[in-house]
Amino acid sequence: RVHGENTWSYMPMFASRLEEAGKLSVRERTDKYIELITELLTNKPIAEDQVATLIAACTSDDVPLSLARSTLDCFCSLLKDIDDAPRVSIGTQLSERIAQRVSFEEHLSLLLTDVAQVHEKNERWAEAAKALARIPLDSNNRTCPAEKRADINVRIAHLFLEDDDSVNAEIFIGRASAPIAECPPNTGLQLRYKACYARILDSKRKFMEAALWYYRLSQVDPNLADGTQVGESEFLTALSHSITCAILAPAGPARARILSMLYKDERSSQLGHKYTMLKNMLFHRIVNTKDVELFAEDLLPHQLALLGNGSTVLQRAVIEHNLLSMSKIYSNIRLEELGRLLHVPAAQAEEIASKMISENRMKGSIDQVDEMLMFESDDHLTTWNIRVEHVCQAADDIANQILEQYGKVI
């Protein structure tokens, strides 16, 4: 490392002053060490090798506990005012030095929290999470309140999610589950826990569960018990995420119930093309390519990930939905024609239909000899109503096209 002139000229003076301080009484030595710490951390550029020497002197095993704690107090106070690079370097070095000393757990927590804040400010999410993960929460030396244990684990989970690491995020949100149960309800901490849990379910493609968790978030009282204020836009964002996950969930009765619940929420109508997609899904309308492309614009990478058969999560959801919609319109259909309507090979259409039938998400049977899919319906009136609705919707679409082109309908 290249040192400035002031740093090199200061080395001999520093060494002699440190040596002289070691000969003083505990109280005088404490004052001298604090004086050296203050000078080193307020001069630029900071001589980190000198700081390292001073750290070793202040935290060695033969140093009185009162002296070590006083100098650590000084370090923790001054580190917040220096540049990010030496702040992280010195904070990390100091935390590693005292990590095994149970008497310094409070200082260790302060140092690691400060290092994590710098990493987070610079969007180094994983480094910030790893720094917080080193904070001792389960110790025989002191009792850590449930609220603090929950808060730190939720923060770590959030940071890992920002780094697209849902595996580690799930580990730490799991660690927060026990202490969060001991915390007061309806607080900002509880809200952050639920938001992280919903995001983890979303990232693991458990879309049905994620939709329910996001929807619960969208209904939280905006005036939380701890004074935390939540804006209306945040609730609308949670509702939007809930609709997205519900649409991506496997087609079937369970998803239909969630879609119905979301459709009845008056706020859903504010969400533009997502609301259009929601209505199409709920009322068993065939979803066209344009609506799919508009919906895909807002999706996250994991929601567009490729599945084993080469299709995306969205494509699977749309194909299953359209197939279920066809079961409300057709009594039977040839597999070749089904594949053409779903824009997939006939063999893939058969595989999808077979899977949905076996999982009780669609009623029907497949005649492999005649290559025919037969749909079953217990409610003929419902089927008739859906068919009428499709005809009315088609007529309405034609009328709208005429209006756009000619300005009036005769």
Side-chain angles (χ1 to χ4, degrees), residues 344-373:
V344 297
Q348 187 177 346
E350 180 184 358
E351 182 184 347
I352 294 168
S354 175
K355 187 173 189 294
M356 292 180 69
I357 291 170
S358 67
E359 293 176 352
N360 294 319
R361 293 192 283 129
M362 182 176 71
K363 293 185 177 182
S365 60
I366 298 174
D367 186 334
Q368 292 182 321
V369 175
D370 293 333
E371 297 184 342
M372 185 82 73
L373 170 61

Side-chain angles (χ1 to χ4, degrees), residues 126-186:
E127 288 85 347
K130 289 171 185 175
L132 288 177
R134 291 178 53 211
I135 295 176
L137 299 178
D138 301 309
S139 170
N140 295 325
N141 189 49
R142 65 190 180 102
T143 303
C144 187
E147 194 165 351
K148 182 176 180 179
R149 283 184 284 129
D151 178 62
I152 290 175
N153 281 311
V154 168
R155 285 178 63 190
I156 295 169
H158 170 76
L159 289 165
F160 276 126
L161 283 171
E162 291 297 302
D163 197 51
D164 293 325
D165 184 352
S166 59
V167 175
N168 276 313
E170 186 175 13
I171 291 171
F172 284 94
I173 208 68
R175 292 179 184 177
S177 60
I180 200 75
E182 302 176 35
C183 298
N186 195 31

